Amino acid sequence: MKFYKKLEEMNACSKAVEWSMQFSSLQKAWDKCDRGDWMFWLLGMKCDTINQRKLLTLTACQCARISLKYVKKGEKRPLKAIRTAERWAKDDPKVSLEDVQKAAAYAAAAATAAADAAYDAAYVAAAAAAAATTAAAPAAAYAAAAAPTTAYAAAATAAAARIKTFKKCADIVRKHYPKAPII
């Protein structure tokens, strides 16, 4: 079976499936993909173990950091959510899943207090990175990859900035996952 048929069966977005059809293998598509959000989605779907979830969380946190430049000066909650998720993923015995969830909730409160979309995107990235630690890993990782793009779109509507952000996330993903997941 062609790999893109498997993507369809997994309910990948139609644009991703259509784009992938030009490649003879998933690895070739993976190597050329400039959509970090698509890559995160697939990784999240294949995330079965706690160690896999921790690597996915660290990768999501690195992507989420892209949006921190949109956080208002003095607001530390989104960064705290990212750092807490990173500490959990690195097996810090002082950080529990409850701590990660609490930090994500504080970041959510910060977003509620903010009025602009760029700041909301920074929160989404931080909360999604934290949420990647849970069973909602596919959706959370996807959101972490997509949130910086939302921030770029809010801060500058240029399509080039959006494409650049997707590519940054894709490059981060490939740094941690040079091989495409087996589907």
Side-chain angles (χ1 to χ4, degrees):
M1 176 187 291
K2 295 278 188 184
F3 76 93
Y4 55 82
K5 291 285 187 191
K6 290 182 183 178
L7 292 174
E8 282 179 329
E9 289 176 3
M10 296 170 69
N11 293 318
C13 78
S14 60
K15 286 185 180 183
V17 173
E18 182 180 329
W19 175 86
S20 72
M21 289 179 181
Q22 67 184 303
F23 299 98
S24 60
S25 71
L26 179 58
Q27 187 62 50
K28 288 181 181 181
W30 190 261
D31 293 343
K32 295 291 183 183
C33 187
D34 284 341
R35 293 288 306 261
D37 55 332
W38 291 352
M39 297 166 84
F40 264 113
W41 176 85
L42 183 56
L43 289 166
M45 294 297 289
K46 302 305 291 181
C47 188
D48 297 325
T49 69
I50 194 73
N51 287 336
Q52 290 171 338
R53 187 152 296 147
K54 287 180 178 187
L55 178 58
L56 184 65
T57 298
L58 289 172
T59 307
C61 287
Q62 194 171 351
C63 284
R65 285 177 175 276
I66 293 170
S67 68
L68 288 176
K69 62 186 169 188
Y70 298 104
V71 174
K72 291 179 180 166
K73 189 175 179 155
E75 177 55 73
K76 303 290 184 200
R77 291 175 282 191
L79 178 59
K80 182 178 180 185
I82 292 168
R83 285 182 175 163
T84 303
E86 288 169 337
R87 287 177 57 206
W88 172 83
K90 292 177 181 176
D91 294 322
D92 183 333
K94 295 179 183 175
V95 178
S96 68
L97 276 176
E98 289 175 10
D99 295 328
V100 174
Q101 292 164 348
K102 185 187 280 186
Y106 287 140
T112 301
D116 63 54
Y119 187 76
D120 283 347
Y123 149 69
V124 169
T133 62
T134 70
Y142 183 87
T149 301
T150 305
Y152 263 120
T157 57
R162 182 172 198 246
I163 291 166
K164 183 178 175 182
T165 303
F166 275 132
K167 182 164 179 12
K168 280 183 183 180
C169 284
D171 291 342
I172 289 168
V173 170
R174 267 191 295 278
K175 184 175 110 180
H176 294 280
Y177 297 90
K179 299 230 186 253
I182 297 170
I183 58 171

